[in-house]
Amino acid sequence: MAEKKQTKKEETLDFSKYIRWFWILFSSGILVVMLMFLLASWGLFGDMPDHTVLENPRTNLATEIISSDGETLGKFYFKDNRTPIGYSELPEHLVNALVATEDARFREHSGIDTRALLRAISKFGKGGGGSTISQQLAKQLFHGEGTKNTLGRLSQKVKEWIIAIRLEKQYTKEEIIAQYFNIYDFGNNADGIRSAARIYFGKEAKELSLKESAMLVGMFKNSSLYNPRPERNPVGVKNRRNVVLAQMYKYDYIDVTVKDSLQKTELDLNYTPESHREGLATYFRGYLDGFMKEWIKENPKPDGTKYNLYADGLKIYTTIDSRMQRYAEDAVQRHMPKLQAEFFHQNTPKRNPTAPFLELDRAEIKSLMRRSMKQSERWRHLKHDLKKSDKEIEKSFHEPIKMTVFKWVGGKASEVDTIMKPWDSMRYYKSFLRPGMMSMDPQTGHVKAWVGGMNYRHFQYDMVKQGKRQIGSTFKPLVYTAAIDQLHYSPCHEFPDTPFCIEANKHGNPEEWCPRNSGGENDYGGSRSLQNALANSVNTITARLIDQVGPQPVVDLARKLGIESEIPPVPSIALGTPDISVYEMVGAYSAFANKGVYTKPVMVTTIEDKNGTILYQFKPKTRDVLSEETAYVAVKLMEGVTQYGSGGRLRHSYAASRPDYKEVVTGYPYEFKNPIAGKTGTTQNQSDGWFMGMVPNLVTGVWVGAEDRSAHFASITYGQGASMALPIWGIYMRSCYADKTLNISKEAFEAPKSLSIQVDCSKDISDEDSSNGDDLGDEFPDDLNGF
């Protein structure tokens, strides 16, 4: 009996020993954890963010480009395409999906969910992780993905806990959720929830539906594995989305009917990549990149450092209207494939062995190509970056390589993978006609649409502001305006319709100049009013006018109208020999619609920093150039162009009355009934086609031509401004008028209260023997009958 009592006493002592050791170990564990927390907070395991860093986390923020109607046109970013949004811009079901899937007790804990943590430890992580949303945010913000060794992971987890607790003290629950959505990388340049919503569904985050929100929340598990792009893992993405929906049902955010119905649906992506070469207004954004870099040079931060365009989260408010921009790009995309098809038809090797060039022999073509080769980006890269010799570089241009080239397919811009010599690809691209288009409010100077080409990925040279081309007869209104201003001529003033020459050594002309009319010797007889002459683009009458006023006053007027390009003071400028940009021409024409007041084109109204502080605000620059009366008379002259002359195809009744009339573009008949002032332009050998069109509150200029002037239409049928450029204007304006929210005017141009010049000519100014509406510059071939 005594032995049994002794044994029980020994067992009790042994059990007490175990209990003692248990508490020693438990206490030691707690002390170790506390010590690790303490050491981590002291920075022994690496720097810890203080409260100032927590208030301003170091994340790269993309600069956002915002249209006048509040739409994001695009962004400037280097690594992170991130634009933060507030909690109020997150739909409730998006937040619910996150909480249900990632942290069900998010609103109950203070940064660490003890129950989830113990569950994760007891099941060695197989029952789900123990990280809260706050911990995941801490990981994203301050120490990335971590290390692979056990000690490193442990120390990092401790730092995670500490930062999570600090985040919970520093921010509200709503702010933490917003930060987490903003910081996460959803792949494919979708940094943050706003970019993800735009890229994967083509909408703002606040517009996301329940099933779209579930898909995006599902990506938090692994955005690379659950990448929703069609070619990646559509089945896995759908399954993961359905798990999120099931979690929402589990925690009573949705009912079973909603869960079951949504789980059966497809992803319904609207994948729209965002990059510098894709999206809306790419050419305008290219211009804006240069504008901002210059602005940044001249406007440092208060501390003297420079703003980072790609990381400081600036907001650039522009004058571009996203609706009008879309209409402009659509007009280009609808017209150019049809025009290009006609150009390719003419320039087949059978018809033109030197296609796409005309009038050049093989030696001239080779010389032109060699110049282009040495100006190419490929030459620059091989020469300066890779230090190749000229001989090596030239050889590489004649070696076939894989490349992706631009092509019109089924009337749409497309890309084709092929194998081609770089030399041949240069010649291939020279075969394409290119557009330039700008639209502007003449009263405010606000540029509403800007299309510098047809595809920024393959044709990056901007033909709105960078490119300058011979302007042809679109320059004639400036000559007429100078004559009205100086000589007080009326549109009804008549001149003899006879050949005319300006003798040598007059007005700085070295030799006699005798311009021809487009119809040749048969295109003379009787007399013509100024309105008739401009409507039918009569070269001899324009020459008479510049002879009377002199070239220098015309150049001076062009300068006052904002044209800075070189214009030599010689008589031939009357027919449009100078090279001028679309940007300059639209600005100049806007003064006519704005009662003689020139307003410098405006593209940027305000620049803000990431906190909304205004850094720059536009101040309009205007100057009086013409009297209100002179401007109005010039407008009435140009109205005749669209009523009776080379722009008459804008009105169906005119086109229908001409059996020789042809149209190559979808959108005809345009059937405009309202007053339109404008001027077409066609340059030597049909190399450039122009149309400038005005209504009281919108001025739009369009140019079309090839990269090289030697690539052009062989005939005037399609090689004139009325066929190359005017259709783009017509399609664009039809879309603008159809959108009643834009309020584009259909009213008449407002006349001055006092008008001393006669503008209503009783004589019929239509001319059935004129140029068939063809608008030509100086010295053209006699073949005007098409093919």
Side-chain angles (χ1 to χ4, degrees):
M1 196 71 177
E3 290 179 359
K4 286 183 178 181
K5 287 183 178 181
Q6 182 67 30
T7 302
K8 285 183 178 181
K9 186 176 181 180
E10 289 175 355
E11 288 176 351
T12 301
L13 290 173
D14 289 342
F15 183 70
S16 299
K17 180 175 66 176
Y18 293 139
I19 292 175
R20 186 170 63 255
W21 276 109
F22 168 79
W23 284 108
I24 291 172
L25 291 173
F26 181 77
S27 301
S28 299
I30 292 175
L31 289 172
V32 168
V33 170
M34 292 176 62
L35 181 61
M36 289 185 68
F37 268 83
L38 186 62
L39 294 174
S41 65
W42 289 345
L44 186 66
F45 299 151
D47 291 339
M48 292 286 288
D50 60 20
H51 71 282
T52 59
V53 176
L54 289 175
E55 288 176 358
N56 299 284
R58 295 176 183 175
T59 55
N60 292 329
L61 304 180
T63 290
E64 188 176 7
I65 306 163
I66 303 169
S67 71
S68 61
D69 55 321
E71 184 168 326
T72 298
L73 295 174
K75 299 174 187 176
F76 292 127
Y77 62 91
F78 179 61
K79 289 183 178 179
D80 296 337
N81 177 23
R82 180 176 290 105
T83 304
I85 58 176
Y87 182 83
S88 62
E89 296 178 74
L90 303 174
E92 185 179 6
H93 49 249
L94 178 67
V95 175
N96 292 341
L98 176 67
V99 172
T101 308
E102 297 292 326
D103 189 357
R105 284 177 292 278
F106 172 71
R107 300 192 182 279
E108 301 168 15
H109 62 67
S110 299
I112 300 175
D113 185 348
T114 308
R115 285 170 57 186
L117 181 60
L118 292 175
R119 183 195 66 232
I121 294 172
S122 64
K123 296 184 178 181
F124 301 99
K126 294 181 180 180
S131 291
T132 64
I133 291 174
S134 302
Q135 288 175 257
Q136 293 178 49
L137 174 60
K139 183 177 181 180
Q140 291 283 332
L141 280 173
F142 300 108
H143 59 265
E145 292 301 319
T147 60
K148 292 184 179 181
N149 65 76
T150 303
L151 183 59
R153 286 200 301 270
L154 180 59
S155 65
Q156 199 168 73
K157 184 62 66 174
V158 171
K159 290 171 63 178
E160 218 175 84
W161 290 335
I162 295 172
I163 297 170
I165 293 170
R166 290 183 179 180
L167 286 171
E168 291 274 352
K169 290 181 179 179
Q170 198 82 19
Y171 300 105
T172 65
K173 291 288 187 177
E174 289 75 17
E175 289 172 330
I176 288 172
I177 282 182
Q179 284 194 55
Y180 188 43
F181 273 117
N182 285 326
I183 198 67
Y184 193 74
D185 180 0
F186 291 86
N188 301 312
N189 288 329
D191 299 305
I193 190 62
R194 183 160 185 248
S195 293
R198 288 170 56 85
I199 288 173
Y200 293 124
F201 297 107
K203 58 177 65 174
E204 294 297 329
K206 60 186 176 183
E207 301 168 335
L208 289 169
S209 68
L210 173 56
K211 73 171 188 175
E212 291 166 347
S213 296
M215 191 211 82
L216 293 174
V217 167
M219 295 181 70
F220 280 109
K221 186 174 180 67
N222 187 324
S223 61
S224 178
L225 177 62
Y226 299 111
N227 187 323
R229 287 175 61 180
E231 69 274 16
R232 298 294 292 272
N233 182 19
V235 175
V237 173
K238 186 177 178 180
N239 290 339
R240 179 60 188 166
R241 179 204 65 183
N242 290 348
V243 168
V244 175
L245 292 170
Q247 288 293 106
M248 295 184 74
Y249 166 67
K250 177 181 177 181
Y251 291 103
D252 297 324
Y253 290 112
I254 58 176
D255 59 34
V256 68
T257 304
V258 172
K259 175 184 77 73
D260 290 344
S261 61
L262 290 181
Q263 285 181 336
K264 294 174 183 177
T265 62
E266 298 301 319
L267 295 175
D268 295 330
L269 294 175
N270 179 17
Y271 181 62
T272 310
E274 286 189 349
S275 73
H276 305 301
R277 298 186 179 185
E278 295 170 300
L280 196 63
T282 47
Y283 289 92
F284 173 73
R285 286 188 272 140
Y287 156 77
L288 196 59
D289 181 76
F291 173 90
M292 286 302 299
K293 286 175 180 175
E294 287 299 314
W295 182 86
I296 286 170
K297 283 181 184 178
E298 299 170 2
N299 296 272
K301 294 180 181 179
D303 62 3
T305 61
K306 292 183 178 179
Y307 289 99
N308 187 326
L309 180 62
Y310 306 105
D312 279 350
L314 303 176
K315 289 187 183 295
I316 308 170
Y317 293 89
T318 73
T319 62
I320 297 294
D321 186 294
S322 68
R323 298 160 296 181
M324 297 173 76
Q325 181 68 31
R326 285 192 178 91
Y327 300 149
E329 292 184 13
D330 175 67
V332 166
Q333 294 293 316
R334 289 174 65 186
H335 177 59
M336 292 307 296
K338 293 180 177 291
L339 189 69
Q340 189 68 51
E342 293 296 336
F343 187 74
F344 281 149
H345 177 71
Q346 293 183 23
N347 278 284
T348 60
K350 185 181 292 186
R351 291 184 176 87
N352 175 21
T354 61
F357 309 108
L358 299 174
E359 296 94 32
L360 296 186
D361 59 30
R362 296 186 182 280
E364 290 171 323
I365 293 173
K366 186 175 181 180
S367 176
L368 182 153
M369 292 290 293
R370 284 182 61 82
R371 286 198 303 273
S372 297
M373 176 179 67
K374 292 189 175 183
Q375 292 169 356
S376 69
E377 177 61 24
R378 178 183 177 83
W379 180 282
R380 188 207 64 78
H381 174 66
L382 294 174
K383 182 76 173 177
H384 298 288
D385 297 340
L386 302 185
K387 309 301 181 185
K388 300 287 185 180
S389 67
D390 288 3
K391 187 175 181 179
E392 288 176 306
I393 298 173
E394 288 191 36
K395 182 181 178 182
S396 74
F397 270 82
H398 294 277
E399 296 173 347
I401 59 173
K402 290 181 179 180
M403 63 175 68
T404 301
V405 298
F406 175 85
K407 187 177 182 180
W408 292 113
V409 178
K412 296 184 181 293
S414 303
E415 292 182 334
V416 177
D417 293 328
T418 187
I419 296 176
M420 187 182 290
K421 298 175 184 177
W423 180 273
D424 292 336
S425 73
M426 285 197 311
R427 189 158 177 169
Y428 171 75
Y429 278 112
K430 287 180 183 293
S431 300
F432 283 92
L433 298 172
R434 307 178 184 195
M437 176 183 181
M438 189 177 107
S439 194
M440 168 179 158
D441 182 324
Q443 281 77 46
T444 63
H446 289 190
V447 175
K448 297 297 184 180
W450 178 305
V451 185
M454 56 195 175
N455 185 283
Y456 191 73
R457 182 179 290 275
H458 294 278
F459 304 92
Q460 292 182 26
Y461 194 74
D462 174 37
M463 291 307 302
V464 168
K465 203 166 192 294
Q466 278 183 298
K468 298 183 179 184
R469 294 299 289 261
Q470 202 173 68
I471 53 172
S473 295
T474 55
F475 195 75
K476 287 178 180 176
L478 275 69
V479 180
Y480 280 66
T481 300
I484 294 166
D485 193 45
Q486 286 190 24
L487 308 174
H488 215 61
Y489 278 154
S490 160
C492 310
H493 187 92
E494 293 190 350
F495 284 94
D497 186 15
T498 58
F500 179 77
C501 293
I502 296 178
E503 62 267 24
N505 300 318
K506 186 178 183 183
H507 304 307
N509 215 43
E511 50 188 45
E512 186 180 59
W513 181 57
C514 302
R516 294 185 300 163
N517 288 336
S518 59
E521 297 301 322
N522 298 323
D523 201 19
Y524 298 109
S527 63
R528 291 180 185 266
S529 67
L530 287 185
Q531 196 164 27
N532 177 292
L534 185 64
N536 294 286
S537 205
V538 180
N539 291 337
T540 53
I541 303 296
T542 311
R544 287 179 185 273
L545 290 176
I546 201 166
D547 181 46
Q548 291 187 14
V549 302
Q552 189 59 54
V554 176
V555 174
D556 294 342
L557 175 60
R559 292 283 176 260
K560 292 176 183 177
L561 292 173
I563 297 175
E564 299 178 352
S565 299
E566 182 180 357
I567 306 176
V570 296
S572 61
I573 63 172
L575 305 187
T577 54
D579 289 350
I580 299 177
S581 69
V582 173
Y583 171 87
E584 292 172 299
M585 290 300 291
V586 172
Y589 268 65
S590 292
F592 297 124
N594 195 29
K595 302 180 179 181
V597 178
Y598 170 77
T599 303
K600 187 175 182 180
V602 181
M603 284 72 74
V604 176
T605 57
T606 308
I607 301 173
E608 293 179 352
D609 67 12
K610 65 181 181 181
N611 299 315
T613 303
I614 295 176
L615 307 175
Y616 164 88
Q617 205 149 27
F618 155 75
K619 295 179 181 179
K621 296 180 180 179
T622 64
R623 57 174 171 264
D624 293 336
V625 177
L626 303 166
S627 70
E628 186 177 344
E629 182 179 51
T630 299
Y632 180 73
V633 173
V635 166
K636 297 304 287 184
L637 274 170
M638 286 187 275
E639 281 186 10
V641 174
T642 67
Q643 290 172 333
Y644 320 102
S646 55
R649 62 183 65 188
L650 289 171
R651 307 183 186 281
H652 179 52
S653 58
Y654 172 88
S657 70
R658 304 299 292 259
D660 58 337
Y661 179 75
K662 296 180 180 180
E663 184 58 57
V664 298
V665 64
T666 303
Y668 166 78
Y670 310 106
E671 297 182 307
F672 294 117
K673 309 295 184 188
N674 56 294
I676 297 170
K679 190 70 189 80
T680 54
T682 307
T683 64
Q684 186 74 24
N685 294 331
Q686 301 83 244
S687 295
D688 305 276
W690 288 81
F691 182 70
M692 305 294 302
M694 299 186 292
V695 296
N697 64 350
L698 193 66
V699 178
T700 304
V702 183
W703 165 89
V704 174
E707 178 183 336
D708 298 286
R709 290 186 172 95
S710 53
H712 57 79
F713 280 102
S715 161
I716 200 66
T717 302
Y718 296 122
Q720 58 175 300
S723 293
M724 295 169 72
L726 178 145
I728 293 176
W729 191 93
I731 299 170
Y732 168 68
M733 288 301 292
R734 284 185 70 182
S735 297
C736 288
Y737 279 133
D739 188 338
K740 303 302 181 183
T741 64
L742 296 175
N743 297 316
I744 304 302
S745 176
K746 287 189 176 182
E747 303 301 316
F749 290 87
E750 185 179 352
K753 293 180 180 178
S754 176
L755 186 62
S756 64
I757 299 176
Q758 180 186 357
V759 294
D760 183 13
C761 306
S762 59
K763 181 179 177 180
D764 181 9
I765 66 168
S766 64
D767 185 358
E768 295 300 328
D769 296 325
S770 71
S771 63
N772 279 346
D774 302 325
D775 186 13
L776 307 178
D778 184 24
E779 302 295 329
F780 287 89
D782 294 329
D783 176 18
L784 301 176
N785 297 318
F787 298 90

